[in-house]
Amino acid sequence: MTTGEWLIPFNRPSFEGRELEYIHASIASGHVSGDGSFSRRCHQFLEFELGVARALLTTSCTHALEMAALLLEVAPGDEVIVPSFTFVSVANAFVLRGARPVFIDVRPDTLNFDERQFEQLITSRTKAAVAVHYAGVGCEMDSIVEVATRRGVAIVEDNAHGLFGSYRGRQLGTFGSLATQSFHETKNFSCGEGGALLINDKRFIERAEVVREKGTDRSRFFRGLVDKYTWTDIGSSYLPSDLLAAILFAQFEARASIQSKRREIWWRYRRGLVDWAARTGATLPFIPADREQAYHMFYVIMPSLEARQRLMSHLREKGILSVFHYLPLHLSRMGLQFGGEPGQCPVTEDVSDRLLRLPFFNSLTAAQQETVIESVQQVVD
Ligand SMILES: *Cc1c(COP(=O)(O)O)cnc(C)c1O
């Protein structure tokens, strides 16, 4: 079924008001390829709001992760530690460079990278580890950064869910040498397809600009630093059109309203389902007191796979689309080829069967949400 066929879809692209105006402005500017004025404004916005050394828009978070793998010079024989409970691109970006993904389990409370297992997975071949801030709730960054620094492992934060979340007062995306964002239609801020690479370790800035511009020094050329541009490194084409940046900038400008809507949606679910969860043995998201979440999603963890499937079918009968994710990467066809085996990441295997995400998008109305909550409450075992 497509979005329109559901009474309440899981996601619906939501626009804040100025997107079309900015698309028109981009067309009028005569510069709709990458790194036009709206891209620059998006870069400045991310750099200013997050305090990162450099932010570069990319065509997706997947491509930002690929850029991270290129910048870290990940090569055949290297190992990269990635959660099994995450999106495939987190592993694929490094596999494309010839690395072997080493799967780490997640914590049962936050479903984040389990920092207590990190050090034992590090070998002399470990090049990097990816901390994915699941549901926009920060990983245990103090511990992860301490181990990584001591053992010489680079940290990449996959902050696709976590823009404007924070851990112990510091914003997500500012801990790793590099961090990645997604502006896919399902994320808090969106231009359909898009992403960004955030650079905290300044040593990567110049090369990131080259890798992103087909391996040329075109960025320096545009700044007047060289009088012609040429092939200087490996690279690819990771710049989104300025038309997409125009949409994204309109969303960035609405940051306060988008985040407050999402905060409200999250708390309405929480308040509406807390008693039901206690009665049915379902678990609701856990947010440790020392972090501010980004309000990316609301999920429930049911007592069993059967209970999850029953809830999902009941919602489907009511015209409500709920979705589950992630199938454990270590047990996927690719994961098995890299040595994944059943029992390796028990929390991931368990949660993957029992987690269900409820509709969550910026324009979800209170009335729609009431319908979802009432429908969930009808399922009591
Ligand atoms: C959405 C997502 C991605 C991929 O984002 P794209 O922009 O679609 O490439 C990567 N990692 C996580 C955790 C995601 O949720």
Side-chain angles (χ1 to χ4, degrees):
M1 276 203 255
T2 63
T3 296
E5 293 168 69
W6 295 91
L7 176 66
I8 303 175
F10 173 70
N11 182 63
R12 175 172 286 153
S14 307
F15 297 99
E16 295 301 313
R18 303 195 76 172
E19 286 86 353
L20 282 173
E21 180 192 329
Y22 288 175
I23 288 173
H24 285 141
S26 176
I27 291 170
S29 79
H31 182 138
V32 295
S33 58
D35 283 350
S37 67
F38 284 105
S39 302
R40 273 201 300 282
R41 281 191 253 180
C42 288
H43 293 163
Q44 283 162 4
F45 174 88
L46 290 169
E47 286 161 11
F48 180 79
E49 295 293 327
L50 300 174
V52 294
R54 191 84 172 93
L56 294 168
L57 291 189
T58 57
T59 30
S60 63
C61 182
T62 300
H63 278 166
L65 288 162
E66 288 179 19
M67 281 185 68
L70 283 164
L71 292 169
L72 293 169
E73 300 183 68
V74 171
D78 289 341
E79 293 173 356
V80 177
I81 298 174
V82 300
S84 176
F85 188 69
T86 195
F87 191 67
V88 287
S89 298
V90 175
N92 246 343
F94 299 94
V95 169
L96 277 168
R97 307 309 308 152
R100 190 170 82 87
V102 172
F103 299 105
I104 188 166
D105 207 356
V106 291
R107 295 176 56 101
D109 53 1
T110 55
L111 312 185
N112 270 335
F113 187 106
D114 192 341
E115 74 288 349
R116 297 162 299 188
Q117 301 181 29
F118 182 23
E119 189 150 20
Q120 74 212 41
L121 292 175
I122 296 176
T123 71
S124 59
R125 291 183 293 275
T126 309
K127 193 73 166 263
V130 186
V132 181
H133 303 303
Y134 181 70
V137 179
C139 297
E140 288 289 347
M141 291 316 290
D142 281 353
S143 159
I144 292 170
V145 168
E146 188 276 317
V147 171
T149 307
R150 185 158 43 72
R151 300 293 303 268
V153 172
I155 291 294
V156 176
E157 293 172 80
D158 179 338
N159 199 31
H161 300 176
L163 188 55
F164 306 127
S166 65
Y167 168 84
R168 299 189 176 161
R170 186 167 150 192
Q171 296 207 76
L172 304 181
T174 64
F175 292 87
S177 310
L178 300 163
T180 63
Q181 300 295 156
S182 174
F183 304 118
H184 182 261
E185 172 178 299
T186 51
K187 303 306 196 299
N188 293 22
F189 298 83
S190 162
C191 56
E193 299 275 0
L197 180 71
L198 308 179
I199 304 173
N200 293 305
D201 184 336
K202 294 192 176 68
R203 286 175 302 181
F204 292 117
I205 295 177
E206 195 173 322
R207 190 155 179 253
E209 292 180 348
V210 170
V211 162
R212 179 168 166 273
E213 267 282 22
K214 302 95 183 166
T216 72
D217 54 359
R218 190 158 154 177
S219 298
R220 287 168 62 77
F221 171 72
F222 281 132
R223 287 204 293 270
L225 298 174
V226 288
D227 57 13
K228 47 175 143 350
Y229 76 86
T230 179
W231 185 20
T232 62
D233 203 335
I234 57 170
S236 190
S237 182
Y238 294 122
L239 298 73
S241 159
D242 217 52
L243 292 168
L244 290 178
I247 299 176
L248 187 60
F249 189 65
Q251 302 243 315
F252 281 170
E253 281 189 327
R255 168 188 172 173
S257 115
I258 288 176
Q259 288 304 83
S260 86
K261 280 185 249 180
R262 298 187 76 98
R263 188 182 309 117
E264 217 172 287
I265 292 169
W266 195 93
W267 280 105
R268 225 183 266 133
Y269 273 138
R270 167 89 208 176
R271 283 192 304 270
L273 294 176
V274 68
D275 292 339
W276 164 84
R279 280 200 309 278
T280 53
T283 309
L284 301 185
F286 169 68
I287 320 295
D290 59 357
R291 50 212 93 162
E292 179 68 28
Q293 62 154 321
Y295 301 99
H296 175 57
M297 69 167 91
F298 197 92
Y299 61 82
V300 299
I301 302 178
M302 297 301 284
S304 65
L305 170 64
E306 295 69 34
R308 195 267 305 269
Q309 299 308 86
R310 270 200 301 279
L311 176 57
M312 207 175 158
S313 319
H314 179 73
L315 294 176
R316 185 182 298 121
E317 279 160 26
K318 300 273 170 186
I320 299 165
L321 179 60
S322 59
V323 303
F324 61 83
H325 71 179
Y326 297 102
L327 297 177
L329 289 181
H330 70 287
L331 298 180
S332 64
R333 194 198 300 179
M334 283 294 285
L336 294 171
Q337 285 177 31
F338 289 109
E341 49 185 47
Q344 185 185 348
C345 299
V347 178
T348 297
E349 291 170 32
D350 176 41
V351 162
S352 169
D353 279 345
R354 299 195 286 123
L355 182 141
L356 194 65
R357 300 171 63 187
L358 301 179
F360 202 121
F361 49 92
N362 301 346
S363 56
L364 184 66
T365 66
Q368 285 176 313
Q369 222 188 333
E370 230 11 83
T371 306
V372 178
I373 291 169
E374 280 168 16
S375 304
V376 171
Q377 285 170 340
Q378 289 158 0
V379 177
V380 290
D381 62 350

